[in-house]
Amino acid sequence: MSLFGTSTGFGAGGFGAATTDTHNPMKDVEVTSPPDDSISCLAFSPPAMPGNFLIGGSWANDVRCWEVQDNGQTVPKAQQMHTGPVLDVCWSEDGSKVFTASCDKTAKMWDLNSNQAIQIAQHDAPIRTVHWIKAPNYNCIMTGSWDKTLKFWDTRSPNPMMSLQLPERCYCADVVYPMAVVASAERGLIVYQLENQPSEFRRIDSPLKHQVTGFTYQHRCIAIFKDKQNKPAGFALGSIEGRVAIHYINPPNPAKDNFTFKCHRSNGTNTTTPQDIYAVNAISFHPVHGTLATVGSDGRFSFWDKDARTKLKTSEQLDQPITACSFNNNGNIFAYASSYDWSKGHEYYNPQKKNYIFLRNATEELKPRNKK
Amino acid sequence: MAQVEAERGLCKENTQPLREGLAVTGLHLSHQEGSCHAAIQQQRQAFELELHMYTGDDPLDIWDRYLKWTLKTYPQGSKESSLTAMLERAVQLFAHDKKYYDDPRYINLWINLAQNSMEPLEMFSYMQDNGIGLTRADLYIAWAEEFEKHGNFQRADAIFREGLKCRAQPMDKLQQYHNGFQARVAHQAWSATEEEPEPARTSMVDLRPRGRKKAVAPVNRTEAAGHSRSLNLQLPRRSARHIQKNPILGFNENQADSLQAAQLKLEPWMAPPSSRANENQVMSEQLADIKIPQKSWCSASSVTVPASRLNFQPFVEEGDQTPSVSACKIDPAVNTVLSDRPPPSKEESVLEEGGGGGVKEQSMYLKELLLNGAVELSIEELRAEHYFARKRQEIEETIQQQSQAKERLRQQIDEKQRLLQLQQSQQRPQLSQQDDTGTDSMQITECRSGTVLPSSQPNAMAFQIFDEGSQSGSAHGSGNPIPCEKDMCPDDVFLPAGDRGLCFKTPYPFPGGSIPLSERTQLSKNFPERTESLNEEVVSGHKNKTLCSSPEDTQDFVKAAKMASSPYHAMGQRAVSPNAGILTKEPSITPQLDADSDGRKKLSPIQEASLEAWGSMASGPTSASSVCTNSGGKAVHHLGRLKDSHAEPHPEAMDQNSPCIQPVIEDPCSVRVRQRLLDQVDLSSFPNFYSEDGPLPMAEEDGVLILGNDTFATYSKMDYENFSIYAGQGGGDVAIKLERTPVPWDFYIGSQLRERLARDSQAPVHDAGRCFLFQDGCVTVHKASQQSTLREVAEESFEEIVASLAMQTVELVRLMHSCHLIHGALSPDTLVMNRHYDEPMDKISAAVALDFSCSVDLELQPEVTAAHILPAAQNFITQDLLAPSASPYQVDLLGIAETVHTLLKKRTMRLVKEDSMWTLEEYQEARPSDRSDAFWSKFFRTVLNPGDRPSVSVLTELLEDMKKSTFACYGA
């Protein structure tokens, strides 16, 4: 039978067979032909592209491209392989190319028109992050690696345009011109400015630092948010222990404006049993509303309004962790990937377990409260 | 070496002494940091890896070795060694495990930590209070030495006595150290006495403690002054006794006890004292559960939260609030939710700022795994390590397998060589015999595939148009900063974006008639198979599946993606464009490019889907577009089935729609057609055919396969589009071909070839092998004396050998055609050389085909009258190489050209048309003087331009010509 034989739209449910399953408790649309191993990253095509294309990278070494049609139907389009697990993907701003970062220590440029991929970057260790930077005077690819460097690549040269030393291994990064932020192992946090050329702007003490004990938790995911003028204003930093910090770069009142909140924990109200804390696996900001989504090892996604400081929604619990998420360019679609995130190590890995990517209508649920 | 020694000499004063001495290697490493840095890092990495991956029950062992390695590698205790961090983590790691408390290795970690910390004495006290190492002499010795360094002999002695009292092991060691200590003290006391008369002494050197701390001078010299100068230093006991009389240095048991009580029974410890003063150092996460009195010696020990000591239980996060934050931005008018600390409501909980107020927490990720080493890891790093470890293991296994295979081959070669020698000695008499009996000694049998390239390869030999538009592509390719060959399909590089030269096929007719345009454009191009590794699984595991039929079947992705070609299927128009196949030096680049951009624009004109639109989509039972796609899906489904019957080399041919022929001619190679044909044939009457009940047996590499009464050992496996071939053994070397369709077409063709050749007494004997038919597949077993495919042979051979291979290929096709069989899919990867080691050099036997899955039997399938019916021909028709109405046999001639060219030039053909004759670009201006040029030029002209002549005569003539040529190395 055809998955979309009866043309279910977003949020309408109606996957007869799936209703009893715990793999899709939110009754969202399943992307056809998901990867065969954990999904490490998702990215939707930029506004410049007509339509929606979704890229997903996986631990099965592949990067896949789907077209997401307006009725929610997904059409597998193509795939490229790395020789190691793929850890991050990003788009060029015109949507013609996709950049992929892999454990094979390379980054590749995938030209979607010709379906060719060529290597464009090389590190001494697996590349954890890849981002496209479009500046008025230059375009480049920024790669962050576990070799403790951050490199900037012109896609035509074998040598990086610039290489910056990081204090530690790069764990996550985000770019919204003219700002880039990199979070590293041992709680490193560096903001870069990208005007003219990339340069270190400021090192920040991890906002995930415990106020009293000084313990900080491992950085796991980061996403830049913008202000009303559509300029990068700060970032949300997710930790391995169920906490997200909202941090402004130049807040009028740092003590007031910056804050952290807990998320992806169980037994929230019950104080008698220990609270289970899960890793925050990914953060994504809604492109229109500025609200954010977090996904966690607990198999839930949550929507938050950082300005009102409220939670907008928490999903039911999936039977697997959620490892990645992304909004499409107009914020109508929220894609999230359900697969094992290795948070409990090798023993809990079940290669037979199927991975999913789900698509959810994101317009209504991510509207800030009390607005309009 | 001398230089090294000198270097060492320069900085050895910084070298910390080790009890067991320093390893010279380590010292050298440490002195040549530049060169050995990488090696050290590697070793460290190995330890870290071991720690993170360890699953046994004695992880302390690794730590112990790690510590010893660190001490040896960084004798100067450089910052780089991160010794303290490592020790801290190790010590904490086992703090909950009482079984280690008396483990000398654990005590050693503690002692090292203490000695490297700012406040070693605190550490020792902590150990004692927590019962760590109370029975180990080492603790007391180290502890006492620490006191001694500080000049506090009294307490040092007390410590020794305490140790002796606890009967710390080994007792004699403790006793020995104690004696030594007493001797030193006595000596010091004595020398102090001695020096007393010189109060004006300027140097304090002798009295300076050995420790790195500058402690106060220990001895009250005035008190000691009364001692006799005649103290016998050889007798420590006596001297000790003397010292005891000293009111201050002296010692008596009672006093000692009280001293101990005063000094050692401090208030209980919350946690080990910190070993470092630098507050910015990150404390281990492990400590999240206990409170560390950080900087306790200078301030703020009040910060310490009174948790139970060494309690690694969930941590109370009291201080975790940011009170200043929680008050902000609350609009009381609007917000009912944002009270400072509201009871979290289910629906709408406020982002709890920081503190949760006394909620116990437990981490749901494998904290220990991430923090096992001295360096924390992220989940992904751990997983990547795991991935790499597995990969390394796989590689090692492969290497092992290969060396085994190599060994096997070597044995075979030895054996064959012996046979060859034997044969040569008998050769002359045999030769004359052979002339009489014809070709008795020729056997077209043992075909073998040792390591045949995977099925994704055939594309590489597909034809290609030489295309000037490709310059940009190739320029880009060569300009590629990091040449990474495996990433660049050679056949892609020379084509403009998205083009695959003659690889694109004229679409095969859909039985149902037309297909939606959107589908057609999708089908237009090949998926770059090189980039897929999933192919094999698709082939072996997922047959006859509808495209994207079930979300369970992820393998469909490849199929689907294959049809989709490039994500934007930009080249959509190309395949159906009438110009597409024309081979010229001036291809219509401009129109193509236009087509590109058009295709791109037309692509998925998805409107910005509003929520409303989606809503309506959802409510409506079927939207127009889904109808469209569904019908497309059905068509694709059918294609999938067609495709199954095709192994290679151009399975895509089927996926295409041919505009130039009338609809509804059934694919002569489809499974259904063959099934029907074979129903007319009594296969069971064929020799060596066995029909087995039950499903296809499981086959795996390095396994055992039982077929009928025979047992085969299987070694290496090669996967193709629709079948796998194992190299195996069982009554000699064999090639075992497994197909997942229960249609033994290969065996049928092979048997027909054998039977029909037998009609002609002159013809060589063909061995069709053995066939085992199962319910869901069939297995064909060929004897295999040769391990190499033509491609492999050609890989490292001269042109002369290739000429021989070409002749073998021609001979095979000639034999088949003479039996009215068409091979249909010649490929260097499924043809095997058929020259036995012991065969006379001057015989040309036919190459052996391992795969007949695209073959057609024209005696059985008389409806195949023209080339266009064959799926394999579509490719050539598109290129205008072949007229649709041409004889179907000509497909194989072009197949020969393609195969031989691939062997010769290791790339695909670039064809040009000259005076209505096709020729290859490289032989266009062949110099007749060059033997090679002349030979190949003629060869290709012949096979590419057969005209209307029957293929058998063309091939016979060609073969004769080739044999006459002195070029081919063993032409007759």
Side-chain angles (χ1 to χ4, degrees), chain B residues 51 185 256 304 357 379 458 485 543 577 590 649 833 865:
Chain B
L51 285 172
V185 172
T304 310
I379 293 172
E485 294 207 337
K543 312 230 77 169
S577 135
T590 332
M833 197 166 80
T865 52

Side-chain angles (χ1 to χ4, degrees), chain A residues 36 81 171 275 332 354 361, chain B residues 360 381 531 551 554 609 611:
Chain A
D36 296 327
M81 298 298 294
Y171 276 177
Q275 195 176 45
N332 282 343
K354 203 172 132 49
N361 176 4
Chain B
K360 289 185 174 180
E381 284 172 290
T531 57
T554 61
L611 171 72

Side-chain angles (χ1 to χ4, degrees), chain A residues 1-2 5-7 9-10 12 30 33-34 36-38 49 51 53 59 61 64-71 73 76-81 83-85 91 95 103 108 112-115 117-120 126 146 156-158 169 171 185-187 210-213 215-218 220 240-241 243 255-256 258-262 265 269 271 274-278 304 308-311 330 332-333 340-346 349 354 356 361 364 369-370, chain B residues 282-283 285 287-288 290-291 315 317 319-322 324-325 328-329 334 338 344 347-356 359-367 369-370 375-381 383-384 386-388 391 476 479-482 484 486-487 492 497-498 522 527-528 531-534 548-549 551-552 554-558 560-561 564-570 600 604 606-609 611 614 617-618 620-623 625-626 629-630:
Chain A
M1 70 153 230
S2 166
T6 52
S7 177
F10 277 86
E30 289 176 13
S33 304
D36 296 327
D37 205 338
S38 305
M49 279 298 302
F53 289 85
W59 283 83
N61 303 359
R64 295 184 171 192
C65 174
W66 296 264
E67 183 181 354
V68 180
Q69 297 179 344
D70 48 0
N71 62 348
Q73 194 162 333
K77 281 294 177 181
Q79 74 168 4
Q80 286 289 333
M81 298 298 294
T83 52
W91 289 77
C103 278
K108 287 186 184 179
L112 294 177
N113 286 314
S114 69
N115 204 6
I118 59 167
Q119 185 184 346
I120 50 136
W146 292 337
R156 294 156 298 184
S157 161
R169 288 150 286 149
Y171 276 177
E186 308 291 353
R187 294 81 180 157
H210 195 289
Q211 296 288 313
V212 176
T213 61
F215 301 140
T216 42
Y217 301 112
Q218 193 174 90
R220 183 142 177 79
I240 199 165
E241 297 228 346
R243 186 176 290 273
K256 270 182 156 186
N258 296 336
F259 64 102
T260 71
F261 62 91
K262 295 177 177 179
R265 296 162 180 234
T269 53
T271 51
Q275 195 176 45
D276 297 339
I277 311 176
Y278 296 87
W304 312 84
R309 301 194 182 189
T310 51
K311 176 151 74 183
N330 62 9
N332 282 343
I333 313 174
Y340 183 48
D341 61 2
W342 213 258
S343 57
K344 292 182 171 185
H346 168 57
Y349 174 55
K354 203 172 132 49
Y356 295 93
N361 176 4
E364 215 50 51
R369 297 278 161 81
N370 310 321
Chain B
V282 182
M283 299 308 288
E285 295 273 355
L287 291 178
I290 50 169
K291 295 295 176 177
F315 155 61
E317 203 180 26
D320 201 13
Q321 333 168 0
T322 48
S324 57
V325 180
C328 81
K329 278 211 174 186
V334 187
L338 287 174
E347 274 305 294
E348 208 171 343
S349 61
V350 179
L351 308 191
E352 320 104 45
E353 332 268 340
V359 182
K360 289 185 174 180
E361 297 174 342
Q362 65 188 29
S363 305
M364 295 307 285
Y365 62 91
L366 224 59
K367 222 175 196 177
L369 272 183
L370 299 185
V375 180
E376 67 160 11
L377 291 185
S378 67
I379 293 172
E380 282 73 27
E381 284 172 290
R383 185 169 188 177
H386 197 272
Y387 172 86
F388 287 128
K391 211 169 162 186
H476 188 79
N480 180 10
I482 305 117
C484 182
K486 60 179 182 288
D487 295 331
D492 285 347
Q522 271 195 14
F527 191 72
T531 57
E532 304 164 16
S533 68
L534 291 176
C548 311
S549 59
E552 260 69 52
T554 61
Q555 311 293 1
D556 279 340
F557 191 91
V558 177
S565 63
S566 86
Y568 299 158
H569 40 73
R600 171 93 178 274
S604 60
I606 297 179
Q607 307 76 14
E608 296 288 301
L611 171 72
W614 282 4
M617 291 288 187
T622 322
S623 75
S625 73
S626 70
T629 322
N630 282 342

Side-chain angles (χ1 to χ4, degrees), chain B residues 70-138:
Chain B
T70 309
L71 292 176
K72 282 178 182 166
T73 312
Y74 297 98
Q76 297 168 48
S78 77
K79 193 183 160 201
E80 202 185 348
S81 70
S82 55
L83 176 67
T84 325
M86 176 200 137
L87 288 168
E88 266 179 9
R89 198 153 279 173
V91 153
Q92 287 149 13
L93 211 54
F94 301 101
H96 59 282
D97 207 342
K98 288 252 190 305
K99 80 173 175 189
Y100 287 117
Y101 278 18
D102 287 317
D103 190 313
R105 296 170 302 174
Y106 188 52
I107 308 312
N108 191 32
L109 288 173
W110 268 107
I111 291 171
N112 271 286
L113 177 62
Q115 287 169 341
N116 283 284
S117 69
M118 304 299 289
E119 294 292 329
L121 291 175
E122 265 183 59
M123 284 282 185
F124 289 125
S125 303
Y126 174 86
M127 285 175 70
Q128 191 192 38
D129 286 4
N130 285 284
I132 299 167
L134 291 184
T135 62
R136 301 304 310 175
D138 290 342

